């Protein structure tokens, strides 16, 4: 072979090798794609996702599916390019998913903690809707504090100045509403018997306090737990809440339909926004969903990425979600995004 031909051939080989190296090199982006969906009323790996023992639970003719997003933590250039042109995937800067001040392990740990917290809040909200109220209970009394010799561990605080107290934050807010040194009338029950006491708040760390440690309890005569692995983050809260209510109530919330959705849930039943809506809509449609419950604050993004044949229904609270499901079951049309 002539020297010029050898040079061209070597150049071509080097170009291919360089291209291969560039295309296979990691880039500072991640690809988001539709993740698995899970029926909160069903089983995963032959285990009930929501497990209830000690009381009757009910089956459903339909499904309530939580939705997820799959994240490729290390992305090469070629998959990133493919993701840019995909209708189902999104390519975003890696720092949006894995902040530079956190390791991937730390992010995964936080996601696991958020997932656990979503289950706890879902249980709190669902049981409240089913008639098991939260009790703000005194766990300990500070010696020398305003409540010393008045309140005892185990007392359930019910009111402050006549206003009902249903959660621990409500008690804290009621105490802080007046300056330290103010008198508060505390309503409580002890051994099931109602009582009242007037306390004068004291300053502790610059804040008015009554000198008690409290915890939220929600007594119920059965056991409830979740069994679901390899999913993180808080966005399953709404669908877990609905799943618990469906399984413990005789009423089938689904009306025999496959309903998907997403959204965080707090202890007051508010539904919060989440990320990955476009991918979750695709995953829901692929799973056979005929309706999707969308957090109100995600409605614009969801509408901009709507999937044909998958109506989007706006929910801001668990009550909105329950109303939407009831309307769908009876053949009506809930509020759309």
């Amino acid at each position: 072979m002539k020297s010029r031909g050898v040079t061209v051939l070597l150049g071509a080989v080097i170009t291919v090798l360089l291209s291969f190296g560039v295309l296979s090199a990691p880039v500072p982006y991640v690809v988001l794609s539709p993740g698995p969906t899970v029926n909160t009323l069903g089983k995963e790996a032959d285990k009930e996702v929501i497990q209830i023992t000690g009381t009757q639970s009910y089956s459903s003719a339909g499904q309530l599916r939580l939705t997820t997003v799959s994240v490729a933590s290390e992305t090469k250039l070629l998959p990133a390019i493919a993701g840019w042109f995909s209708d189902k995937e999104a390519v975003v800067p890696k720092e949006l998913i894995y902040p530079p001040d956190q390791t991937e392990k730390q992010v995964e740990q936080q996601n696991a903690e958020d997932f656990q917290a979503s289950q706890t809040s879902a249980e709190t909200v669902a049981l409240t809707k089913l008639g098991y109220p939260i009790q703000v209970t005194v766990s300990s009394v500070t010696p020398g504090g305003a409540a010393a010799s008045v309140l005892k561990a185990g007392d359930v605080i019910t009111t402050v100045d006549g206003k009902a107290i249903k959660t621990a934050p409500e008690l804290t807010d009621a105490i802080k509403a007046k300056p330290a040194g103010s008198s508060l009338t505390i309503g409580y029950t002890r051994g099931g018997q109602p009582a009242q006491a007037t306390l004068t708040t004291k300053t502790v760390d610059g804040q008015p306090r009554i000198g008690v440690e409290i915890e939220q309890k929600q007594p119920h005569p059965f056991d409830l737990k979740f069994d679901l692995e390899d999913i993180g983050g808080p966005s399953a809260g709404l669908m877990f809440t609905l799943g618990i209510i469906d399984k413990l109530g005789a009423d089938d919330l689904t009306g025999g339909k496959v309903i998907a959705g997403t959204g965080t849930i707090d202890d007051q039943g508010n539904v919060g926004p989440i990320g990955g809506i476009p991918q979750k809509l695709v995953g829901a449609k692929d799973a056979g969903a005929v309706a999707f419950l969308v957090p109100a604050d995600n409605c614009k993004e969801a509408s901009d990425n709507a999937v044909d044949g998958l109506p989007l229904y706006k929910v801001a609270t668990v009550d909105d979600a329950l109303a939407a499901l009831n309307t769908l079951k009876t053949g009506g049309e809930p509020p759309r995004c």
Side-chain angles (χ1 to χ4, degrees):
M1 183 179 296
K2 294 183 179 179
S3 60
R4 182 176 179 181
V6 172
T7 301
V8 170
L9 179 59
L10 287 175
V13 171
I14 291 172
T15 299
V16 169
L17 290 175
L18 287 173
S19 299
F20 180 79
V22 170
L23 293 175
S24 62
V27 294
Y29 293 88
V30 296
V31 176
L32 309 181
S33 58
T37 69
V38 176
N39 178 21
T40 60
L41 305 177
K43 294 182 178 181
E44 286 289 309
D46 294 326
K47 294 181 180 179
E48 294 285 341
V49 174
I50 300 173
Q51 300 177 357
I52 298 168
T53 55
T55 191
Q56 182 177 3
S57 60
Y58 299 87
S59 59
S60 175
Q63 301 177 15
L64 292 170
R65 303 194 75 89
L66 64 84
T67 51
T68 68
V69 176
S70 292
V71 180
S73 61
E74 183 174 303
T75 303
K76 305 288 197 305
L77 180 58
L78 190 57
I81 293 172
W84 280 113
F85 294 97
S86 172
D87 293 332
K88 295 184 177 183
E89 297 178 333
V91 181
V92 300
K94 188 172 185 177
E95 63 186 21
L96 293 181
I97 307 299
Y98 301 101
D101 60 342
Q102 292 180 286
T103 66
E104 289 188 19
K105 186 175 182 180
Q106 288 174 323
V107 172
E108 290 170 0
Q109 178 62 33
Q110 183 61 57
N111 285 339
E113 292 174 3
D114 289 343
F115 188 56
Q116 181 63 47
S118 76
Q119 296 172 354
T120 301
S121 291
E123 181 175 347
T124 296
V125 174
L127 293 183
T128 300
K129 299 301 296 182
L130 292 166
Y132 299 97
I134 296 171
Q135 296 181 351
V136 181
T137 305
V138 176
S139 57
S140 65
V141 180
T142 303
S149 75
V150 178
L151 297 179
K152 295 181 179 181
D155 289 347
V156 177
I157 297 177
T158 56
T159 63
V160 173
D161 288 342
K163 180 181 179 181
I165 298 299
K166 298 179 180 179
T167 65
E170 287 180 356
L171 175 61
T172 300
D173 290 343
I175 294 170
K176 289 181 177 180
K178 292 183 177 181
S182 300
S183 294
L184 299 177
T185 301
I186 306 295
Y188 62 97
T189 61
R190 179 178 295 165
Q193 298 300 312
Q196 278 190 345
T198 300
L199 305 177
T200 301
T201 58
K202 296 184 178 183
T203 302
V204 178
D205 296 329
Q207 297 290 337
R209 308 286 189 188
I210 63 172
V212 296
E213 295 291 331
I214 57 174
E215 59 182 335
Q216 288 191 172
K217 294 185 177 180
Q218 200 169 18
H220 50 277
F222 52 85
D223 292 324
L224 187 158
K225 68 177 184 177
F226 302 87
D227 195 322
L228 187 59
E229 299 178 354
D230 301 326
I231 291 178
S235 66
L238 171 62
M239 300 311 289
F240 276 140
T241 304
L242 297 175
I244 296 169
I245 294 172
D246 191 288
K247 295 197 74 165
L248 283 171
D251 189 24
D252 182 352
L253 300 182
T254 70
K257 298 179 174 65
V258 179
I259 312 292
T262 189
T264 65
I265 198 81
D266 65 17
D267 287 355
Q268 288 71 49
N270 299 306
V271 178
I274 49 75
I277 273 284
Q279 290 70 47
K280 290 181 176 181
L281 295 178
V282 172
K285 180 65 175 178
D286 290 346
V290 298
F292 196 98
L293 303 179
V294 181
D297 289 342
N298 282 124
C299 261
K300 184 181 185 307
E301 183 184 10
S303 297
D304 290 344
N305 294 275
V307 176
D308 289 342
L310 185 64
L312 307 175
Y313 299 112
K314 178 173 68 174
V315 296
T317 66
V318 69
D319 287 337
D320 290 346
L322 291 170
L325 292 175
N326 185 62
T327 300
L328 287 171
K329 186 169 60 174
T330 56
E333 177 74 1
R336 291 204 183 202
C337 282

